[in-house]
Amino acid sequence: FQPQDENLAAHHMVLIGCSRPGITGVQQFDCGSDYPVHPGMKRGNPCASDEEVTLFGVAFNAGGYQLPPDLSFRVGAGTSIQYIVLEVHYGDMAKFEDDPELVVNVGFNIFYT
């Protein structure tokens, strides 16, 4: 897992596995954090049920992580994890308020075998 955050906007990120996403039809939504909901943004849980599994999380500037060789997790056909949701928490929303057109490139590069 190699985190990517070109704008240094994220406080931390979490990858969550679930059978169905909590919200569909949008790329961004408010996950119900302590901050006020951004105007026009839907609010909901990352997963539609209680079957969510935290796969990986990383704090600001923590760097990448490689699973030990004898550790893995399965996703997709035949498993309960059909979707992977990226949950990004921002420490300071001022960047977005100052520049509503700001494009944020945040996520993970995932290398697998």
Side-chain angles (χ1 to χ4, degrees):
F1 298 92
Q2 185 63 46
Q4 302 295 314
D5 184 3
E6 291 179 2
N7 303 86
L8 301 177
H11 181 267
H12 64 278
M13 299 182 284
V14 181
L15 280 179
I16 300 170
C18 52
S19 58
R20 291 181 302 133
I23 292 185
T24 59
V26 297
Q27 290 185 344
Q28 300 175 21
F29 64 93
D30 186 305
C31 67
S33 66
D34 296 332
Y35 296 100
V37 177
H38 189 274
M41 188 175 285
K42 288 185 175 184
R43 184 174 221 164
N45 294 322
C47 297
S49 66
D50 292 338
E51 298 176 10
E52 75 180 51
V53 176
T54 300
L55 302 173
F56 181 72
V58 64
F60 178 69
N61 280 338
Y65 181 75
Q66 183 172 341
L67 294 175
D70 59 342
L71 181 65
S72 65
F73 52 85
R74 295 178 48 95
V75 298
T79 74
S80 63
I81 301 174
Q82 299 297 307
Y83 293 88
I84 296 177
V85 178
L86 173 62
E87 187 174 297
V88 180
H89 290 231
Y90 298 98
D92 183 5
M93 296 300 289
K95 285 186 178 191
F96 302 99
E97 293 164 357
D98 294 344
D99 183 2
E101 302 299 318
L102 178 66
V103 175
V104 177
N105 188 7
V106 173
F108 288 99
N109 287 327
I110 300 175
F111 303 92
Y112 61 94
T113 59

